[in-house]
Amino acid sequence: MGVPEGFLEVSLGLGGGRGTVSVLTRDEDAKDDDWTDPNFFEPGYSVAGSTGFRVWEGTRVAADLLRPASERTYAYVLGARGWEKHEAGADADADEDADADVDVDGAVEGVRVALEGKRVLELGSGTGLAALALAKAGGAHVLATDLRAVVDDVLWVNVDRAAEGEGEGEGEGFFFPGGVRVGEGSVACYPLDWVSVESGEDWCRVTSLARPQLALDPLGCACDVVLGVECVWLAELVPSFVATVEAAFGRGARGGQALLIGRERATEASTVFCSMGDVAAAFRARGLDVQEVVKTKAQDNDPSGEGFVSVYRVRLPS
């Protein structure tokens, strides 16, 4: 398929001989002073929604976690303390480091196991790169969601480009309604507005213009894990995001588990942006169990070497 004007094609290798996945993203360099976002007046659309047309580093980390250990391009450690020990070198606290290395391997493996072959509800899917990687590399069945404008203009376009057949026949019970085959897994996509969920509106009525025949309650679909990759970075969105995850836990997320992957971009003085720690604190305030599983140094556009991407696990209290 060709690449439409104003877009770029971004590809991501999956490792393990599983090929690549590719998506269309907006070409930021093609915008001139007269450029106007065509979705500007779409109900519920915002600056946050516009970021769904780009690929962010957390997506690459999500795919990297599914690669064989020998092919991973990121080095993972446990939490802030683990990172400090990593920076200090192998001679610092050698005995403790040996144990930490084992824990890191187990933690990364735990993330992979939580996603591979599972039914995944993804929030803020954007271009769909993470969902496609999970399906093709991990055999997951993903219900990818985002604002309607993002679903219609980029998410469904990319899922349709990657489709290898409709989600029917063998394994039919695992496919979400409207899903298409991608590798050993599948991807379906559907609009979901977190603000509507928080306010108690009937979000099920927000149908896709690209696929108007599809009507379902995405939060009511049975899934094993909820996934959010680089999807909440504005402080004003945190309450809506937390409410949406809680709604999923209460309706269809039978595993009562969410994985959040994101790059830290907020500073301590920021009042507009939120950190991953802020998101974690919001979940803890609601009585949920939150753990930073692993973290890794950021590689994209980070000459300072100080940025990092974190993976958090959120669970219902036992």
Side-chain angles (χ1 to χ4, degrees):
M1 297 182 183
V3 177
E5 184 177 357
F7 283 81
L8 294 172
E9 186 172 43
V10 175
S11 297
L12 180 66
L14 300 175
R18 293 171 292 197
T20 62
V21 289
S22 63
V23 295
L24 299 178
T25 69
R26 274 188 182 154
D27 184 358
E28 299 298 318
D29 294 333
K31 298 178 180 178
D32 56 27
D33 293 339
D34 296 326
W35 187 86
T36 302
D37 192 328
N39 297 305
F40 185 78
F41 295 104
E42 173 74 19
Y45 193 70
S46 64
V47 173
S50 69
T51 64
F53 290 83
R54 298 176 60 183
V55 171
W56 301 92
E57 186 165 15
T59 300
R60 296 189 176 92
V61 171
D64 191 64
L65 290 163
L66 297 174
R67 290 190 178 106
S70 61
E71 297 183 34
R72 293 187 187 122
T73 58
Y74 288 87
Y76 300 93
V77 296
L78 294 173
R81 183 169 179 271
W83 187 256
E84 292 167 1
K85 291 168 66 178
H86 176 80
E87 291 288 85
D91 293 335
D93 298 323
D95 292 338
E96 291 186 24
D97 280 342
D99 293 336
D101 288 341
V102 174
D103 289 343
V104 168
D105 291 340
V108 172
E109 177 68 7
V111 174
R112 185 191 66 77
V113 169
L115 295 170
E116 200 166 75
K118 301 298 193 299
R119 287 169 59 93
V120 180
L121 169 64
E122 187 187 13
L123 305 178
S125 301
T127 63
L129 188 57
L132 294 172
L134 283 172
K136 190 167 184 177
H141 300 281
V142 187
L143 178 55
T145 66
D146 212 308
L147 295 173
R148 185 172 70 177
V150 179
V151 171
D152 288 346
D153 288 359
V154 70
L155 177 56
W156 168 245
V157 172
N158 286 327
V159 171
D160 190 41
R161 281 165 53 93
E164 300 171 13
E166 295 296 324
E168 300 173 350
E170 184 179 355
E172 183 177 356
F174 289 93
F175 293 106
F176 290 105
V180 296
R181 289 184 178 276
V182 178
E184 295 298 316
S186 66
V187 181
C189 46
Y190 195 77
L192 179 64
D193 184 345
W194 309 339
V195 175
S196 296
V197 175
E198 184 189 20
S199 65
E201 296 176 22
D202 187 359
W203 61 86
C204 305
R205 293 182 181 177
V206 183
T207 55
S208 168
L209 296 178
R211 311 189 78 197
Q213 75 282 8
L214 201 61
L216 56 82
D217 170 8
L219 299 183
C221 292
C223 68
D224 302 301
V225 61
V226 179
L227 176 66
V229 181
E230 292 274 37
C231 63
V232 53
W233 49 275
L234 285 176
E236 65 182 30
L237 287 179
V238 173
S240 299
F241 179 73
V242 171
T244 302
V245 173
E246 285 190 300
F249 282 174
R251 295 171 69 85
R254 56 196 177 195
Q257 174 179 217
L259 290 172
L260 314 179
I261 303 174
R263 177 172 168 175
E264 295 288 1
R265 293 184 173 85
T267 64
E268 291 184 3
S270 177
T271 59
V272 175
F273 302 105
C274 66
S275 68
M276 291 293 289
D278 294 332
V279 179
F283 277 109
R284 290 191 182 104
R286 298 292 296 170
L288 281 78
D289 294 332
V290 185
Q291 175 194 8
E292 184 181 25
V293 184
V294 291
K295 65 193 304 182
T296 182
K297 269 196 171 181
Q299 298 178 4
D300 289 359
N301 302 318
D302 186 36
S304 69
E306 297 177 355
F308 55 90
V309 179
S310 296
V311 182
Y312 281 83
R313 177 182 285 113
V314 178
R315 286 175 170 155
L316 291 172
S318 55

